[in-house]
Amino acid sequence: MPPDATATKKRLLAAAYAEFAQYGLAGARVDRIAEAAQANKRLIYVHFGNKSDLFDLVVANSLEDLAKAVPFTAEDLPGYAGRLFDYLLDHPQVLRLTGWSQLERPDAPPAQVDAYRPKIAAIAGAQQENLVTGAVTPADVLALLLGLTTAWANASPALRSLADQPPWDPERLRIHRAAMTAAVQALITLPPSTGEDQSTGPLRTAPTPD
């Protein structure tokens, strides 16, 4: 029987996921991916195109898997942030991949841009229902939420070393998770802007759909 192309593609994608998470796009080697997948290097180009195309696909697949595992809940953003925090702890390669993507592929592929659109729309809808503050635009709400969720993972090791417990100790992570979700709750309950911030000017309120 001829080799199963689907099985080969799955092995190549799994090997590419590990390779790109470890080395990024520039540092990854097609030879290593093929060797890890026990496949001919030529098949990478047959199935996926060039190395950049394969990298974009791996990043997109990892974000799609995340979205399926952690459904976005605009009506409960603190809960979403907590579940996302848990997922990223269990799948640290996702943050590594997205970090490499931001560094090496600053012009995001349309698929990645499109992945944010329904989240932005959902936040805008939650604002209309007064579930999320209207004092912050939907894009800012999402950016701040993601920043809070990944703050501990992205913090300097020197800063994490000053915590009251080892940085990856389960109790330390539980304490940080509670503080993080409380911060998200505070973000989404900000009162409407009543004037200008002295350092940055007025907060922009979210537009009201016609």
Side-chain angles (χ1 to χ4, degrees), residues 67-84:
K68 291 177 180 177
V70 189
F72 186 72
T73 52
E75 72 279 4
D76 179 22
L77 290 178
Y80 170 74
R83 293 189 297 274
L84 180 59

Side-chain angles (χ1 to χ4, degrees), residues 102-127:
Q102 289 173 8
L103 286 170
E104 300 183 287
R105 304 286 277 174
D107 295 327
Q112 292 184 32
V113 176
D114 290 342
Y116 286 112
R117 296 189 192 280
K119 295 180 174 66
I120 295 298
I123 292 173
Q127 288 177 326

Side-chain angles (χ1 to χ4, degrees), residues 17-100:
Y17 181 92
E19 179 77 6
F20 287 131
Q22 181 67 29
Y23 299 105
L25 174 58
R29 294 291 176 265
V30 172
D31 289 342
R32 285 198 297 254
I33 295 172
E35 182 179 358
Q38 298 181 323
N40 189 304
K41 180 174 71 172
R42 181 181 63 84
L43 293 177
I44 294 176
Y45 301 100
V46 170
H47 291 306
F48 306 110
N50 60 36
K51 187 171 74 166
S52 295
D53 292 335
L54 178 57
F55 177 79
D56 290 341
L57 178 62
V58 166
V59 173
N61 285 351
S62 71
L63 294 177
E64 183 178 350
D65 290 343
L66 184 157
K68 291 177 180 177
V70 189
F72 186 72
T73 52
E75 72 279 4
D76 179 22
L77 290 178
Y80 170 74
R83 293 189 297 274
L84 180 59
F85 179 83
D86 296 338
Y87 182 90
L88 293 175
L89 277 180
D90 292 337
H91 302 82
Q93 300 93 334
V94 175
L95 276 183
R96 292 182 63 88
L97 279 171
T98 55
W100 286 119

Side-chain angles (χ1 to χ4, degrees), residues 169-209:
D169 179 84
E171 179 61 14
R172 168 96 286 279
L173 293 172
R174 186 194 67 79
I175 292 170
H176 179 82
R177 185 186 191 277
M180 180 273 296
T181 55
V184 173
Q185 182 63 50
L187 165 66
I188 66 172
T189 54
L190 281 173
S193 177
T194 57
E196 291 194 1
D197 179 279
Q198 296 302 309
S199 59
T200 61
L203 284 172
R204 292 178 56 199
T205 58
T208 303

